[in-house]
Amino acid sequence: MAAAQGIYTWDSRSSSYSEIYARVRSWWELLPDGSNPLFVLVREFEATGVTAGSFAVLAEQFSRRSGTAQAVRCDLELAKVQEYPAPWDGLHVCTVTVQVVDESNNSRNAYAAPVTVMINCPPAVTAPTGRCAMVGFYATAERIVY
């Protein structure tokens, strides 16, 4: 849930696009088989509505965004995961509905946005010891798992 909220949370008044991107990038642990390449991270992060180009305009308006998880469905609650189970034990898929609030000096917009997060946990041999790591997320509608 924290990752889904964090993907949709930033503040142009205190962070640059590069800093926001680097924060999200630091959560994304690359798998040894290369199945979650960095270009996917960029595409999916930009699918949340923020690109390097648009961020300059957003910063001029002192824009910020906050995300709060409203609902979480994981693994066997998701029909597509039931049809296509994870390829190894310890890989979990959750779709989180995030309540997003976009604000600037002169406007406020609230909406719900789904994001699918994949985490790799022990006993997976590719998982970090004693914890889970995010190995992917999807914000584009055709990739979100229901």
Side-chain angles (χ1 to χ4, degrees):
M1 283 181 34
Q5 291 177 173
I7 290 161
Y8 275 94
T9 300
W10 50 263
D11 191 333
S12 71
R13 299 169 302 177
S14 58
S15 301
S16 68
Y17 176 82
S18 295
E19 290 168 331
I20 293 164
Y21 174 81
R23 175 178 52 88
V24 175
R25 166 65 186 93
S26 72
W27 303 334
W28 179 287
E29 187 159 310
L30 286 174
L31 292 172
D33 65 0
S35 60
N36 60 335
L38 288 175
F39 78 86
V40 174
L41 168 70
V42 175
R43 183 188 67 218
E44 296 302 323
F45 183 58
E46 291 185 347
T48 67
V50 181
T51 66
S54 67
F55 192 83
V57 175
L58 293 167
E60 288 173 3
Q61 299 169 10
F62 301 101
S63 299
R64 58 255 183 214
R65 173 181 285 168
S66 60
T68 306
Q70 297 293 306
V72 182
R73 295 177 62 214
C74 295
D75 296 334
L76 294 179
E77 295 176 272
L78 301 168
K80 287 185 182 177
V81 177
Q82 290 178 42
E83 274 182 59
Y84 305 100
W88 63 82
D89 285 339
L91 180 65
H92 300 284
V93 180
C94 296
T95 294
V96 183
T97 302
V98 181
Q99 183 63 38
V100 182
V101 178
D102 287 338
E103 296 178 90
S104 68
N105 280 352
N106 55 9
S107 68
R108 184 177 192 278
N109 184 33
Y111 55 94
V115 57
T116 292
V117 178
M118 286 166 286
I119 56 171
N120 200 30
C121 303
V125 294
T126 54
T129 304
R131 65 179 181 88
C132 299
M134 185 174 75
V135 294
F137 74 89
Y138 294 112
T140 49
E142 67 271 11
R143 301 300 302 275
I144 293 167
V145 178
Y146 294 102

